[in-house]
Amino acid sequence: MNFPRRLTLRLALLLAVLSGGGTVLRAADVAEVQKALLAGNYAAVIKQCQGELAESQGNTEWTMLLVRALLATGRYAEADTMMKEALLRDTRSIRLRWLAREVAFANGRPEEAARFVKDILTAVRDSRWQYQAPADFLIFGRAALIAGGYDPKDVLEKVFATVQKADPKLRDVYLARGELALEKHDYQLAARAFEEGLKVLPDDPDLHSGRGRAYSGGDRSVAVAALQAALKLNERHVPTLLQFASHHIDSESYEEAEKLLAQIIEINPVQADAWAYRAVIAHLKNNPDGEKLAREKALSPWPRNPRVDYLIGEKLSAKYRFAEGADYQRRAREFDPAYLPATAQLASDLLRLGEEKEGWMLAQAVHDRDEYDVEAYNLVTLQDTMKKYAAMQDDDFVIRMAAPEVAVYGPRVLALLRRAKESLVTKYGAELAKPTYVEIFADQRDFAVRTFGLPDVAGFLGVCFGRVVTANSPATASSPTNWESVLWHEFCHVVTLQMTKNKMPRWLSEGISVHEEREANPASGMRIDARYREMILGPDLVPVSRLSAAFLAPKTPRHLQFAYLQSSLVVEFLIGRFGLEKIRAILGELRNGTEINTAIARHTVEMEEFEKEFAAYARERAEKLAPGMDWTKPEAELLVPGAEDKLAEWGKAHPDNYWLLRQQAIRAMEKQKWAEARKPLERLLELYPRQKGADSIHRQLIAAHKALGDAAGERRTLEAWAGADDEAVEAYLRLMELGAAEKDWAVVRRNAERYLAVNPLVPAPYRALAQAATASGDDSTAIVAWRTLLQLDVPERADANFQLATLLNNRGDDREARRHLLLALEETPRYREALALLLKLERNGTKAPGGGASSGAPAVPELTTRKALE
């Protein structure tokens, strides 16, 4: 759309004449005061505007600036009075009516706010020619979105895009685009809108703050930088201060959050979001009186404001208090049943509580009302996918998986969860709600949608909400991942979260789960390694009282993993120093609402002393990692190519240095000098035997042994690797091969089981397990393994069916044996061993169930069988 710029110019000239030529100066003054408003100089803006209006009461621009400053400082009644007077004077301005809508909301009159939207649309419909200026056209677009009946995509592309093209420096268009995208949970689109605005308006704190919101669920470093930029431009910018307060609540830094909230309330004593956050903090501190007072204060300007309860509930749900969060969303919906954010959040809460019927229904309701809401669309689409999932269940568990995967390893999942329940529920004395829901997703995007509402959230293997566990299938893994360890970890969360009613800090929840992984399998879980040793002995150990914050804004991915490790070391220290019963007592205190530091002090020692003792313990544990190893780190220049002589000279004083030995081995392997490489590799493994993960040297040492023809050395290193690393699939596979060649069926079976704990969707471990079980006389295990191979649709189906038939015949199940023989012959009609066994069964008079072959396989008369054998 083209705007009548000539008409606008003529109007400006006319105004200049009517005002005696002062309009240009007045416009400049308005721009300066607008800058002051954006900079947070609210008192100065109010004073300036009041002075200007005393001279020229009918000036709408000064009125709007004054009203915005009054709203920013919580003077809602004064803003209301000013707005009523302005509306009587200026009956045409739709920009004034848009602001009047905000004033009506601030004073608790939502019906009046809705009328202003209708007035705007009516005015544009009746006198379109008056509202062609970019700022007016933008207001029309925003009103159209609220009124409904207008496609948001059309408004975005035909209104907002047109406005931006006509006036690229109109800040409100970028804010409108960004806010619309945030409302639809399209964070990439929101970021793009705010960043386009910042290219032309780099000093706008609202745009920087919006960019911070767009990145808050993704790249936190970008989000924090954007928020800091906003505060640099306006240190009293309330939306930004609220975001930082929210971040501190997430990291359990409640004192820091309170400081920011106090700063906001000093600016605006009735700022609803700030008081809502105070209610959240009071709730988390088990202060119901403070919570009630803060909520009432938040609702004081507008007693039925649905956003207040929505915001409290959303924040509680972010702390995994889903039941309490859901209660607040129901309150919000009582105030306004049409308030969509509360409906969407309630749907998410209910799905995480296992209340799926109502949860899916509400998600569908959100999608029906707003088809552009990304999270609602994702959930509704996911529901269609999950309807095709298969389910297994008993009294304790409901497990949902893709149907093909259920047939392959579903029973293993159920067996593992039963073992975890027997171990962990007994250990911690928990009582669990029944059943626990476990959902394993064959597509990582489906897992992300179920867990986070968005498909592009990566880096998580599993998540527990208390009664609901979501996990990625081994099929989604890009590198070996022990799914059994993941599920054990997540079920431990089920135990501890339910014991505390989800009232536990993240560090303690994660710490117990990682600790229990190691307890269940010494090769599982995180352990101190060379890099973590350096972090513990360096500056990276976090005070226990601030440990939850380490999960939210880590410097690097390594620091995030370190937060998990340190949390598990705190739990290990707590149990070793004070006993398991103290952990159980602390969990009980948390359930009753006691704050974590208080609970720890009550059952151990004061937090200051606890932190001091733990730091000493952690450093002692780090020092004990490979105590015979020299961990002195050489200067960087000694490790570059060409510095071999200098490194060798340095090494004379450090013969057992970790970094030196690795460097010597690497350089020898690069030259394929395997005998030369083997010596430092063996020394590394001798001094530091429990290596695992990417930094482990087992793989290199095995390569050296194989190159040198040292079979015994290879076998020895493979065994060491398999015993130390629960994801060493290369070692497991090779040990299966060696064990089978030596008919060491115990080795074959042990490593097949290890392999299946990492990847149960490939044939090799089942084939090895079937072979080992058959040779050991364990027909039941062999039968399960052969049946699973058939589910994997292996090429050698004829042999698998024959082997299965043989085992079934051995245990007397001749009818089922006959069925599998017929299936084998269907694949390979001249399979002599199968024909011979079938002839034997025919002579014994065995018939398939129903008098014939089952599963579509043809019956084979004895005469045909005899001829084939002949």
Side-chain angles (χ1 to χ4, degrees), residues 285-297:
K285 288 187 171 183
N286 198 29
N287 178 7
D289 292 337
E291 178 182 2
K292 180 182 178 183
L293 180 64
R295 178 177 180 269
E296 289 174 350
K297 193 72 174 177

Side-chain angles (χ1 to χ4, degrees), residues 254-271:
Y254 300 132
E255 290 184 8
E256 294 300 318
E258 285 283 14
K259 290 177 184 176
L260 290 169
L261 295 175
Q263 187 177 343
I264 294 168
I265 289 167
E266 184 180 354
I267 298 166
N268 180 351
V270 289
Q271 215 289 328

Side-chain angles (χ1 to χ4, degrees), residues 252-256 258 278-288 291 316 321 592-595:
E252 298 168 19
S253 303
Y254 300 132
E255 290 184 8
E256 294 300 318
E258 285 283 14
R278 278 196 164 174
V280 171
I281 294 172
H283 184 104
L284 296 172
K285 288 187 171 183
N286 198 29
N287 178 7
E291 178 182 2
L316 292 177
R321 306 283 190 90
N592 294 329
T594 306
E595 191 267 335

Side-chain angles (χ1 to χ4, degrees), residues 637-792:
E637 57 264 23
L638 296 179
L639 300 176
V640 299
E644 289 82 357
D645 293 341
K646 291 181 181 179
L647 182 63
E649 184 63 30
W650 182 87
K652 291 178 181 178
H654 305 273
D656 284 332
N657 182 266
Y658 175 78
W659 311 101
L660 173 68
L661 291 170
R662 288 186 67 90
Q663 194 71 11
Q664 289 174 341
I666 290 168
R667 289 179 178 173
M669 286 188 294
E670 286 173 350
K671 299 174 184 177
Q672 295 193 348
K673 295 182 177 181
W674 299 107
E676 187 179 322
R678 181 166 64 174
K679 185 177 179 181
L681 288 170
E682 287 184 331
R683 187 59 176 161
L684 277 167
L685 194 57
E686 178 186 351
L687 293 172
Y688 180 12
R690 298 286 295 169
Q691 298 184 42
K692 66 177 291 187
D695 291 335
S696 167
I697 52 83
H698 292 98
R699 185 180 289 103
Q700 292 92 328
L701 182 53
I702 289 166
H705 285 315
K706 291 179 76 172
L708 296 170
D710 184 355
E714 179 193 0
R715 176 69 175 267
R716 188 172 58 250
T717 308
L718 284 166
E719 292 284 6
W721 189 12
D725 193 336
D726 68 334
E727 295 170 348
V729 288
E730 296 171 54
Y732 308 151
L733 185 59
R734 180 60 176 153
L735 285 169
M736 285 189 284
E737 294 170 355
L738 294 174
E742 299 169 4
K743 298 192 184 309
D744 189 340
W745 303 118
V747 166
V748 174
R749 185 163 184 164
R750 180 167 61 252
N751 286 284
E753 294 288 357
R754 285 169 168 168
Y755 199 115
L756 290 171
V758 178
N759 190 348
L761 296 170
V762 293
Y766 293 107
R767 200 175 287 119
L769 184 59
Q771 186 181 13
T774 301
S776 305
D778 183 357
D779 288 356
S780 295
T781 300
I783 287 170
V784 171
W786 284 117
R787 280 180 168 156
T788 306
L789 275 168
L790 288 169
Q791 292 292 337
L792 289 170

Side-chain angles (χ1 to χ4, degrees), residues 416-496:
L416 173 81
L417 290 170
R418 284 172 175 164
R419 293 198 306 273
K421 176 180 179 294
E422 182 178 352
S423 171
L424 297 171
V425 169
T426 302
K427 183 173 185 177
Y428 287 93
E431 292 184 13
L432 302 185
K434 294 183 180 182
T436 298
Y437 298 92
V438 179
E439 298 169 355
I440 300 177
F441 294 89
D443 187 322
Q444 190 276 333
R445 293 167 298 180
D446 290 339
F447 162 77
V449 168
R450 178 68 172 93
T451 308
F452 307 106
L454 297 170
D456 53 355
V457 180
F460 291 84
L461 301 173
V463 172
C464 174
F465 299 112
R467 192 178 172 185
V468 175
V469 171
T470 60
N472 273 305
S473 159
T476 69
S478 58
S479 59
T481 300
N482 192 304
W483 66 267
E484 289 191 354
S485 185
V486 170
L487 284 188
W488 195 279
H489 177 110
E490 298 305 331
F491 185 76
C492 188
H493 283 312
V494 172
V495 172
T496 56

Side-chain angles (χ1 to χ4, degrees), residues 488-534:
W488 195 279
H489 177 110
E490 298 305 331
F491 185 76
C492 188
H493 283 312
V494 172
V495 172
T496 56
L497 289 174
Q498 289 197 41
M499 283 183 71
T500 60
K501 290 188 174 180
N502 288 37
K503 298 176 184 178
M504 63 189 307
R506 182 173 179 183
W507 74 260
L508 181 59
S509 181
E510 297 295 355
I512 293 175
S513 285
V514 174
H515 171 74
E516 290 299 340
E517 280 185 77
R518 289 198 297 264
E519 289 290 293
N521 179 1
S524 294
M526 302 180 69
R527 296 200 297 267
I528 298 174
D529 61 15
R531 295 184 185 182
Y532 290 140
R533 179 187 186 277
E534 192 175 5

Side-chain angles (χ1 to χ4, degrees), residues 210-228:
R211 183 171 183 253
R213 285 179 63 197
Y215 281 99
S216 62
D219 191 330
R220 279 197 176 259
S221 62
V222 174
V224 169
L227 296 176
Q228 289 172 339

